[in-house]
């Protein structure tokens, strides 16, 4: 039987409480060069809440070599237990006993990077979601919470740092140059939050004094020689700790908080209790090797992992269907933090770009699932933008519906009720309902219904009565397993603009007085009519301000309406969105023109509108950079019945060239005016200036003239920071010019010893829109700088290539063939990452017939491979269904 054939489906409806609980765990882990010995002593007891009082004990295992097993100190003989690939079963056990197991594991051979594995500096672990069973037999599910005491043994010279969750309680030396350390975590935790590290790392220590006056030791452990690269993240951690105290009254609950960086990691970072482990790319930063984007992302991720200490660790998930309980709430908190630290509107715009280019397509494809999925085969395939990004939008909608003060009360109530427990998203919603006094019963559908709802808005204005009527209808398309949907409860925040661009006071029929100029309309029905009175002239509606709900709003805006909103809307998000709508509308026309062989042209009014944005750019450069950037190709493609990626690409390119030609002088002026003087700082203001300046450069490079190319090469060579260097390199990589090849070569040779910069170089190559990119990416897949064993390298090269809509989808199918070959190489090495790459094919049905057929064949070939991992099998079978 292949692994894939063994895929079983787990259903939320089948949840039952565990038959046993394990309140205490003692682990003794001896790490050696070739293997490790894990001795576990578990205090096991029957769960009184479980239905069956005689059930066998069935522990999860994954690639464990069991040396011995004992109950209450007496070894079991082989006929007293059963061991298969997934479980260790002991049919007869007392109601309360001590279970001891000794297992051998092979961290050096662990290329899946789940459980304990090695990286260049030592031993590391990742247990979320189901990695703990790769360390020791266990009830590896989040509702089994235990107190852990862990002793690590390793060679002292090679692995001076021995770390685990909680507090260091004892340490010492032992024979043969080895040492040991014992750690105790006072907080009961689920096994996915377990972590150990034994490595040679440099340490940076600091402290944080909580507002109640406790001093907490903070330690950052990074690769030797890279301490300077950890300084920024350490500052972020302190900022995040302070922010959580001020915003939510939540203090750090530990005596010490350790953060470790590792170059080989399946995720961005992991919130293990007291021992966060970070992918180097989300913790190490220095201006010459990191971009503004990196600094921002690091700041947010450090905060995100820290926020998990309460939303995730103190209150955790009952089961993995509830993943959005911790992720949705924590991403929302991270977004609030980012809004406070950077530009709030820009953070919101960037979030929506990400939703539209990643979550909406997911929600419209074969892997669509609710924020709380009803079933899964491999939970590792459900760390998706739906769970994370849409999950955060769902929390944000509750915030909007109950109001900020009540939301805060709801969070307090949530902790009062559930601290130390494993709970469900229903319990979070209940706390919000009880604190906010809003009935959220219907709202819960957001957790259970998949698909992106559409909100259709029609209006009518009667000048005689001065009544403006909005008719709002909601619907949601069918998604896998959900042919029909019930209406959602959603907040639609709106404003009305008059001819002068001012907000009109909003008074609904029946209200005694106007209630502000921006208000939240609560939708519950399929159709709702809102009648506004005393509206002096026909207004232009500003709908879904600040992106009040993760929906698609359909309203028949004319170009003039959009220009008006783009110029005057008091809501910055909708000002931006008006520009996106306008561009999108014209792009769709351009695509049609391209397909019928007509010249792709755009109206001068578009150039005028963008010209005004540019002229105003210096007032808010970060906003202008977003407003002047066109919708992503994926988002444009989403609007089409049948996707023709070449047409999408060429129409978008034509618009960029059109704007560059018309606005050349203004672009050059803004480029010069935005120069940032003085030493580099990643703060929002200077990052905004760089963003706008580099956007101007990218537009100007569309003109492909020698002067601009010289300017670009000059920027690359003289840049004092990676943001400017990478922007210049990216522009050159998209340009078929003599400067291109030397620029890429020099960049690589300059940075070949900095893995994180090599990743950027691979990404730039793989994202290039030039013909020949498939061949180049293929060549790079056997370059010495690339390895399938390192997830960062895979994401940099193959992940970027998969996101390259134009070149991944070349008409001859060579991109597909290449990607499928890579997936098959990757699958036995690291199935989680292979499955991620397989998702590049999931939207195959949406493409024009030729590509659609090629993608389908490729998927079928992958599906037919014997021994395909369960992770990849789930993606390919669901994609083909
Ligand atoms: N819980 C972590 C991220 C994470 C994601 C996936 C993992 O394995 C499949 C592990 C960790 C976070 O949200 O930061
Ligand atoms: Zn998270």
């Amino acid at each position: 039987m292949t692994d894939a054939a063994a895929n079983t489906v787990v259903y939320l409806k089948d949840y039952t409480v565990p038959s046993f609980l394990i309140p205490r765990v003692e682990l003794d882990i001896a790490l050696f060069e070739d293997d490790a010995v894990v001795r576990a002593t578990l205090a096991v007891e029957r769960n009184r809440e479980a239905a069956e009082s005689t059930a066998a004990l069935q522990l999860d295992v994954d690639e464990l070599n069991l040396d011995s097993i004992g109950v209450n100190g007496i070894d079991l003989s082989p006929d007293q237990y059963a061991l298969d690939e997934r479980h260790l079963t002991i049919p007869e056990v007392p109601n309360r006993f001590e279970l001891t197991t000794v297992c051998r594991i092979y961290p050096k051979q662990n290329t899946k990077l789940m459980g304990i594995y090695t990286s260049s500096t030592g031993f590391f672990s990742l247990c979320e979601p189901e990695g703990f069973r790769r360390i020791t037999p266990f009830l590896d599910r989040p509702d089994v919470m235990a107190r852990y005491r862990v002793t690590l043994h390793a060679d002292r010279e090679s692995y001076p740092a021995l770390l685990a969750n909680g507090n260091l309680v004892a340490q010492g030396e032992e024979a043969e140059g080895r040492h040991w350390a014992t750690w105790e975590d006072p907080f009961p935790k689920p096994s996915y939050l377990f972590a150990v590290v034994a490595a040679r790392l440099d340490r940076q220590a600091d402290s944080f004094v909580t507002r109640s006056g406790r001093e907490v030791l903070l330690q950052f452990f990074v690769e030797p020689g890279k301490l300077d690269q950890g300084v920024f993240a350490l500052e972020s951690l302190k900022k995040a700790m302070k922010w959580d105290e001020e915003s939510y009254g939540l203090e750090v609950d530990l005596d010490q908080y350790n953060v470790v960086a590792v170059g080989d990691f399946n995720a961005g970072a992991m919130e293990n209790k007291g021992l966060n482990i970070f992918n180097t790319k989300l913790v190490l930063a220095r201006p010459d090797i990191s971009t503004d984007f990196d600094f921002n992302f690091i700041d947010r991720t450090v905060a995100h992992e820290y926020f998990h200490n309460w939303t995730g660790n103190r209150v955790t998930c009952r089961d993995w269907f509830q993943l959005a309980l911790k992720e949705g709430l924590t991403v929302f908190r991270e977004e609030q933090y980012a809004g406070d630290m950077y530009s709030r509107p820009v953070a919101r715009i960037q979030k929506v770009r990400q939703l539209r280019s990643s979550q909406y397509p997911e929600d419209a494809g074969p892997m669509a699932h609710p924020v709380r999925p009803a079933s899964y085969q491999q939970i590792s395939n459900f760390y998706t933008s739906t769970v994370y990004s849409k999950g955060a939008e769902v929390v944000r909608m509750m915030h909007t519906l109950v109001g900020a003060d009540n939301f805060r009360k709801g969070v307090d109530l949530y902790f009062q009720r559930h601290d130390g427990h494993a709970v469900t998203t229903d319990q979070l919603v209940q706390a919000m309902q009880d604190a906010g006094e809003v009935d959220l019963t219907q709202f819960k559908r957001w957790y259970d219904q998949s698909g992106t709802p559409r909100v259709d808005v029609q209006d009518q204005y009667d000048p005689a009565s001065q009544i403006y009527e909005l008719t709002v209808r909601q619907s949601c398309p069918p998604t896998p397993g959900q042919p029909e949907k019930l209406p959602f409860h959603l907040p639609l925040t709106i404003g009305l603009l008059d001819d002068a661009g001012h907000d009109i006071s909003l008074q609904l029929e029946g209200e005694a007085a106007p209630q502000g100029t921006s208000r939240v309309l609560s939708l519950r029905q399929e159709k709702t009519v809102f009648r506004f009175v005393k509206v002096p002239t026909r207004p232009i509606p500003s709908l879904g301000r600040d992106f009040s709900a993760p929906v698609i709003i359909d309203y028949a805006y004319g170009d003039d309406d959009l220009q008006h909103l783009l110029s005057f809307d008091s809501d910055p998000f909708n000002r931006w969105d008006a520009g996106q709508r306008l561009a999108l509308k014209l792009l769709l026309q351009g695509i049609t023109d391209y397909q019928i062989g007509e010249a792709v042209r755009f109206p001068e009014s578009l150039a005028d509108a963008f010209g005004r944005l540019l002229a105003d750019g210096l007032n808010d450069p970060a906003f202008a950079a977003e407003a002047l950037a066109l919708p992503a190709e994926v988002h444009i493609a989403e609007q089409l019945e049948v996707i023709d990626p070449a047409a999408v690409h060429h129409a978008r390119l034509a618009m960029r060239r059109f704007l560059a030609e018309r606005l050349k002088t203004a672009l050059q002026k803004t480029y010069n005016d935005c120069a940032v003087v003085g030493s580099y700082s990643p703060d929002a203001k200077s990052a905004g200036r760089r963003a706008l300046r580099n956007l101007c450069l990218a537009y100007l490079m569309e003109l492909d003239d020698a002067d601009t190319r010289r300017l670009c090469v000059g920027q690359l060579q003289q840049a004092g920071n990676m943001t400017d260097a990478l922007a210049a390199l990216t522009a050159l990589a998209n340009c078929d010019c003599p400067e291109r090849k030397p620029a890429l070569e020099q960049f690589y040779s300059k940075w070949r010893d900095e893995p994180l910069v090599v990743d950027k170089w691979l990404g730039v190559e793989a994202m290039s829109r030039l013909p020949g990119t498939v061949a180049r990416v293929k060549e790079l897949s056997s370059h010495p700088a690339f390895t399938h064993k390192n997830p960062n390298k895979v994401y940099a090269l193959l992940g970027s290539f998969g996101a390259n809509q134009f070149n991944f989808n070349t008409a001859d199918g060579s991109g597909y063939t290449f990607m499928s070959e890579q997936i098959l190489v990757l699958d036995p090495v690291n199935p989680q990452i292979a499955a991620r790459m397989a998702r590049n094919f999931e939207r195959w049905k949406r493409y024009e017939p030729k590509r659609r057929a090629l993608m389908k064949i490729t998927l079928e070939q992958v599906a037919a491979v014997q021994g395909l991992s369960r992770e990849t099998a789930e993606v390919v079978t669901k994609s083909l269904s």
Side-chain angles (χ1 to χ4, degrees):
M1 186 166 62
T2 65
D3 256 9
N7 250 359
T8 45
V9 182
V10 187
Y11 294 94
L12 167 60
K13 64 177 168 49
D14 292 344
Y15 173 84
T16 51
V17 298
S19 303
F20 291 87
L21 299 175
I22 308 179
R24 290 203 69 88
V25 175
E26 245 190 85
L27 285 179
D28 181 281
I29 305 176
L31 300 163
F32 303 97
E33 282 314 296
D34 294 322
D35 62 3
V37 178
V38 181
R39 290 167 199 279
T41 309
L42 313 180
V44 186
E45 58 190 44
R46 279 192 196 276
N47 184 0
R48 278 195 229 110
E49 284 171 32
E52 218 188 325
S53 59
T54 55
L57 174 67
Q58 189 179 59
L59 301 171
D60 301 298
V61 297
D62 184 10
E63 296 185 24
L64 294 176
N65 301 276
L66 185 68
D67 283 353
S68 73
I69 174 165
V71 168
N72 288 332
I74 301 168
D75 275 1
L76 297 187
S77 56
D79 61 333
Q80 290 177 300
Y81 65 91
L83 180 64
D84 64 24
E85 267 194 17
R86 301 176 92 164
H87 294 114
L88 167 63
T89 310
I90 314 171
E92 280 173 41
V93 287
N95 288 341
R96 189 182 281 265
F97 63 101
E98 192 176 87
L99 178 74
T100 45
T101 57
V102 180
C103 286
R104 200 166 293 271
I105 55 174
Y106 297 91
K108 215 175 166 179
Q109 293 168 35
N110 182 359
T111 58
K112 291 183 182 170
L113 311 182
M114 294 300 293
I116 299 179
Y117 63 92
T118 60
S119 184
S120 63
T121 47
F123 296 86
F124 299 85
S125 69
L126 175 58
C127 290
E128 185 176 3
E130 297 180 335
F132 192 68
R133 63 188 66 184
R134 296 170 59 77
I135 299 174
T136 198
F138 204 70
L139 292 174
D140 194 9
R141 44 186 285 172
D143 55 355
V144 172
M145 297 170 79
R147 286 202 172 79
Y148 287 69
R149 184 184 165 93
V150 180
T151 301
L152 290 172
H153 310 254
D155 185 80
R156 185 164 43 92
E157 183 77 17
S158 308
Y159 312 106
L162 299 180
L163 309 169
N165 313 88
N167 302 314
L168 178 65
V169 292
Q171 57 186 325
E173 315 265 308
E174 56 194 37
E176 293 169 18
R178 291 169 65 80
H179 67 153
W180 60 271
T182 299
W183 291 77
E184 227 174 63
D185 183 353
F187 293 94
K189 63 169 176 287
S191 50
Y192 80 87
L193 292 174
F194 171 84
V196 286
V197 171
R200 165 172 294 284
L201 298 164
D202 281 355
R203 183 183 76 108
Q204 167 97 25
D206 201 339
S207 67
F208 179 81
V209 180
T210 68
R211 63 174 189 174
S212 66
R214 273 186 318 108
E215 185 167 343
V216 181
L217 170 69
L218 313 179
Q219 302 188 100
F220 270 58
F221 294 86
V222 301
E223 251 172 66
K226 297 199 170 170
L227 272 187
D228 59 324
Q229 297 184 36
V231 176
F232 177 80
L234 180 52
E235 290 305 314
S236 294
L237 178 60
K238 290 189 282 182
K239 271 196 309 182
M241 287 181 165
K242 196 153 169 35
W243 185 90
D244 220 11
E245 288 185 348
E246 286 166 1
S247 311
Y248 284 97
L250 297 173
E251 275 190 21
V252 56
D253 56 6
L254 300 146
D255 300 333
Q256 59 173 287
Y257 194 97
N258 295 322
V259 173
V260 175
V262 60
D264 296 285
F265 203 62
N266 273 358
M270 180 61 213
E271 70 263 24
N272 316 302
K273 185 81 186 182
L275 177 53
N276 288 184
I277 299 183
F278 274 67
N279 188 320
T280 43
K281 81 171 165 202
L282 284 168
V283 65
L284 299 183
R286 209 177 56 200
D288 62 330
I289 58 170
S290 316
T291 60
D292 291 331
F293 177 87
D294 297 328
F295 277 99
N296 180 286
F297 201 9
I298 288 170
D299 190 17
R300 296 178 63 137
T301 308
V302 170
H304 178 107
E305 304 312 328
Y306 173 67
F307 297 156
H308 266 316
N309 191 50
W310 280 92
T311 49
N313 301 4
R314 286 287 287 254
V315 179
T316 196
C317 305
R318 185 192 74 175
D319 53 71
W320 288 119
F321 296 103
Q322 320 297 329
L323 182 56
L325 174 78
K326 73 177 178 86
E327 296 307 344
L329 183 51
T330 303
V331 173
F332 174 68
R333 276 152 50 69
E334 171 202 326
E335 288 173 1
Q336 287 186 307
Y337 168 83
D340 286 351
M341 299 295 154
Y342 303 92
S343 154
R344 196 180 309 280
V346 170
R348 193 73 189 123
I349 288 165
Q350 289 168 346
K351 165 72 192 278
V352 173
R353 268 196 203 284
Q354 183 212 341
L355 272 174
R356 288 178 178 165
S357 60
S358 163
Q359 200 278 323
Y360 282 17
E362 179 169 272
D363 235 352
M367 289 286 287
H369 52 275
V371 169
R372 179 170 67 177
S375 70
Y376 61 75
Q377 293 175 26
Q378 291 297 308
I379 186 58
S380 60
N381 283 331
F382 285 78
Y383 286 73
T384 59
S385 51
T386 297
V387 169
Y388 275 68
S389 295
K390 187 175 178 180
E393 290 304 307
V394 172
V395 174
R396 180 181 291 269
M397 286 190 285
M398 285 197 277
H399 183 272
T400 307
L401 288 169
V402 302
D405 291 347
N406 285 334
F407 183 86
R408 173 58 210 280
K409 285 185 197 148
V411 170
D412 290 351
L413 193 57
Y414 174 69
F415 287 120
Q416 262 171 41
R417 288 177 178 171
H418 307 300
D419 188 11
H421 293 99
V423 304
T424 66
T425 55
D426 287 339
Q427 286 164 305
L428 172 67
V429 178
Q430 191 64 46
M432 289 301 159
Q433 168 164 317
D434 295 345
E437 291 165 24
V438 177
D439 183 351
L440 295 173
T441 318
Q442 183 186 352
F443 182 84
K444 284 196 215 149
R445 287 178 191 157
W446 280 106
Y447 282 101
D448 294 320
Q449 293 191 138
S450 54
T452 308
R454 293 196 90 105
V455 172
D456 175 81
V457 182
Q458 291 180 0
D459 59 353
Q460 229 179 4
Y461 178 66
D462 176 29
S465 61
Q466 299 207 325
I467 287 179
Y468 178 68
E469 193 176 274
L470 276 181
T471 304
V472 186
R473 289 183 179 83
Q474 57 160 311
S475 62
C476 186
T479 45
Q482 296 190 342
E484 280 179 36
K485 311 292 165 81
L486 295 167
F488 290 91
H489 178 192
L490 68 96
L492 185 72
T493 307
I494 71 144
L496 302 177
L497 270 70
D498 68 16
D499 290 344
H502 298 129
D503 276 330
I504 297 171
S505 297
L506 302 178
Q507 184 174 355
L508 282 169
E509 200 174 48
E511 287 175 348
Q515 301 194 1
T517 53
S518 215
R519 59 191 286 179
V520 181
L521 304 178
S522 189
L523 302 186
R524 290 175 188 265
Q525 267 85 47
E526 228 167 276
K527 178 182 161 191
T528 324
V529 179
F530 298 94
R531 283 159 69 88
F532 293 92
V533 297
K534 298 187 191 157
V535 180
T537 53
R538 166 175 262 290
I540 296 169
S542 169
L543 304 164
R545 282 185 162 175
D546 201 32
F547 197 75
S548 59
V551 299
I552 296 168
I553 298 176
D554 294 312
Y555 174 82
Y557 283 114
D559 289 6
D560 292 349
D561 298 341
L562 293 171
Q563 302 255 16
H564 195 70
L565 291 171
L566 180 59
S567 301
F568 301 115
D569 201 325
S570 60
D571 177 61
F573 175 80
N574 265 1
R575 216 160 55 235
W576 169 80
D577 205 28
Q580 297 291 297
R581 279 178 189 267
L582 181 62
L584 203 53
K585 218 173 146 192
L586 299 170
L587 282 165
L588 295 178
Q589 184 56 49
I591 289 168
T592 311
D593 292 344
Y594 178 87
Q595 285 171 327
I596 57 174
E598 296 246 324
V600 180
R601 285 185 220 283
F602 300 101
E604 293 305 321
S605 57
L606 175 72
D608 295 343
F610 274 51
R612 283 193 294 275
L613 286 170
L614 204 51
D616 206 27
L618 285 183
N619 287 331
D620 187 349
F623 177 82
E626 290 298 339
L628 289 160
L630 302 181
E633 287 181 21
V634 217
H635 179 51
I636 304 167
E638 271 305 287
Q639 320 304 312
L640 304 171
E641 196 79 28
V642 176
I643 301 174
D644 174 352
V648 170
H649 180 75
H650 288 296
R652 188 174 184 275
L653 192 54
M655 187 179 275
R656 284 176 61 83
R657 290 195 170 133
F658 166 78
L659 290 170
E661 273 163 22
R662 294 297 192 278
L663 303 174
K664 182 174 175 182
T665 317
L667 288 164
Q668 284 168 334
K669 181 174 182 318
T670 307
Y671 178 84
N672 292 325
D673 291 349
C674 276
V676 184
V677 285
S679 64
Y680 174 89
S681 147
D683 67 90
K685 207 167 153 233
S686 36
R689 288 175 77 93
R690 278 187 292 274
L692 182 55
R693 186 168 194 255
N694 287 322
L695 175 117
C696 292
L697 177 68
Y699 268 113
L700 288 167
M701 281 292 284
E702 298 296 2
L703 301 173
D704 197 13
D705 64 59
D707 284 347
T708 311
R709 296 206 303 269
R710 213 168 299 123
L711 181 78
C712 195
V713 172
Q715 176 169 323
L716 173 61
Q717 285 167 349
Q718 284 138 34
N721 62 74
M722 182 51 76
T723 308
D724 291 338
L726 196 68
L729 187 72
T730 305
L732 286 164
N734 282 328
C735 174
D736 188 9
C737 60
E739 294 87 345
R740 180 182 194 273
K741 200 161 176 244
L744 285 162
E745 280 172 2
Q746 283 160 21
F747 187 87
Y748 173 67
S749 48
K750 179 170 177 189
W751 296 111
R752 55 188 301 162
D753 296 326
E754 283 291 349
L756 295 177
V757 187
V758 171
D759 293 347
K760 295 186 195 306
W761 169 74
L762 290 170
V764 168
E765 292 263 15
M767 284 300 283
S768 170
R769 67 190 189 207
L770 295 192
T773 296
V774 184
R776 177 65 180 147
V777 174
K778 202 167 184 171
E779 190 176 86
L780 288 170
S781 66
S782 34
H783 190 282
F786 180 79
T787 164
H788 292 96
K789 289 199 174 141
N790 177 262
N792 287 359
K793 292 279 170 285
V794 175
Y795 280 116
L797 186 68
L798 307 179
S800 303
F801 178 63
N804 184 337
Q805 293 302 300
F806 183 53
N807 275 315
F808 173 60
N809 293 301
T810 45
D812 62 358
S814 56
Y816 305 148
T817 310
F818 167 71
M819 185 62 83
S820 68
E821 289 162 0
Q822 293 298 305
I823 290 167
L824 294 177
V825 175
L826 203 52
D827 196 50
V829 177
N830 190 331
Q832 281 189 8
I833 309 291
R836 288 257 159 186
M837 296 303 127
R839 297 200 57 188
N840 285 310
F841 290 97
E842 77 188 35
R843 310 273 295 126
W844 65 276
K845 282 186 191 156
R846 297 276 281 103
Y847 285 82
E848 53 78 27
K850 245 183 93 181
R851 287 178 176 84
R852 179 190 158 111
L854 288 166
M855 283 174 117
K856 184 173 185 230
I857 293 170
T858 316
L859 265 176
E860 283 168 347
Q861 283 164 350
V862 175
V865 168
Q866 285 287 307
L868 202 62
S869 69
R870 296 188 188 110
E871 289 82 350
T872 303
E874 177 172 24
V875 173
V876 296
T877 50
K878 283 189 174 168
S879 298
L880 282 167
S881 66

